[in-house]
Amino acid sequence: MKKMERRKFLQVMGAAALVGAAGALTGCGPVPGPEQNKGDGSVSLASLDAFTGHLEWNNGVEPEDVSGNSYSKAVNYMVCAFSNGSEWDFLKSYTSNGYGYGFAEYRVSKKYKKLTMKLAPHKLMNKDGNAYIKVYADDKLVATSEFVKKKSSVIDFEANIADAEYIKLEVYVHTGNSIGEGPDGNDGALIMADAKLWS
C-alpha cells in the first residue's frame, strides 16, 4: 500500500511540475507589449514617464504612412496632428508661426548616449503639409529633424544625448491656417516610431 501511495504522490508531483513548466513556457508573466525593449539593447522612450508635458505613445490611430506602410508593430509609435476640435486630439497648442505644438520631458539620468526614431508622413498628411521635431538635452538644442512632407521617405533621426540628466522632445505639425478656420490643404500629420534610447 505504501508503494502505491508513493507512486500516486510522484504522479501528482510530476503533473504539477509539467503544469508549472507549461505555464513558464507560455509566458504566464506579463506579455511584452509594443513599447517594450525588443532585445537590441535599447530602451523604449515610451517606457519612461514624462515629468513635464505629454505626448501619447501608441495613441490608437493607425500609424500608416502615405506609401501604405504600417508602424503598428514598431517598439512604439505616435501619430501627431493638430486637433481643431476633432478626434485628432494630439497637439492642442499653437505656436505663433502656424504650427500645432506638443512636448514631453523625460529624466534619463545620464544613462543614455543617443535617441533614435523613424519619422514618416502619415497617410492624412495634406499636399503642402509638413512637420518636424526638436530634441533638447538639459535645455540645450541638440538635434532638429528635417521637414517631413507628404512626399518624404522615412527619415532615420538621431540625437546625441550623452551625459544628459533629462531630455525634451518637441513636435511641430503645420496647421496651415489661423486658429479655428479649419483645414486648408496645408495640414501636417506625422508618424514617430521606434523611439529608442541607447546606452
Side-chain angles (χ1 to χ4, degrees):
M1 190 77 172
K2 279 188 175 181
K3 200 171 191 180
M4 202 107 147
E5 287 173 8
R6 185 168 187 258
R7 182 181 294 157
K8 194 170 191 178
F9 172 77
L10 291 174
Q11 286 174 344
V12 169
M13 290 307 291
L18 283 174
V19 168
L25 291 174
T26 56
C28 287
V31 177
E35 63 190 33
Q36 292 182 343
N37 184 356
K38 297 287 187 183
D40 59 5
S42 67
V43 172
S44 166
L45 183 60
S47 68
L48 275 60
D49 291 327
F51 66 87
T52 306
H54 176 74
L55 292 172
E56 187 179 348
W57 293 99
N58 306 322
N59 56 16
V61 176
E62 176 57 40
E64 184 178 329
D65 68 18
V66 295
S67 301
N69 302 309
S70 175
Y71 298 81
S72 60
K73 297 203 186 291
V75 170
N76 52 47
Y77 70 87
M78 183 185 308
V79 177
C80 300
F82 187 74
S83 170
N84 208 17
S86 72
E87 69 275 9
W88 287 75
D89 195 20
F90 309 124
L91 302 179
K92 296 181 180 179
S93 300
Y94 275 101
T95 64
S96 59
N97 58 356
Y99 281 83
Y101 169 75
F103 78 95
E105 289 186 272
Y106 304 92
R107 184 163 304 283
V108 291
S109 304
K110 299 186 179 183
K111 293 179 184 175
Y112 308 105
K113 293 186 174 162
K114 65 180 178 177
L115 166 68
T116 62
M117 69 178 77
K118 296 185 182 310
L119 305 175
H122 188 268
K123 64 183 178 181
L124 296 181
M125 171 89 78
N126 285 322
K127 62 184 177 100
D128 297 317
N130 66 74
Y132 65 98
I133 68 170
K134 292 181 177 182
V135 175
Y136 293 81
D138 295 337
D139 295 323
K140 179 183 175 188
L141 180 64
V142 293
T144 302
S145 75
E146 59 188 271
F147 284 103
V148 178
K149 300 180 179 180
K150 188 169 184 86
K151 293 183 180 178
S152 295
S153 298
V154 177
I155 296 168
D156 289 317
F157 176 79
E158 182 174 317
N160 179 352
I161 59 168
D163 296 320
E165 282 289 343
Y166 56 91
I167 60 172
K168 181 179 183 182
L169 174 60
E170 294 184 336
V171 184
Y172 296 85
V173 177
H174 193 251
T175 61
N177 54 50
S178 301
I179 296 174
E181 292 182 9
D184 67 355
N186 296 324
D187 297 308
L190 174 69
I191 299 170
M192 296 189 295
D194 278 335
K196 299 177 181 180
L197 298 162
W198 301 83
S199 54

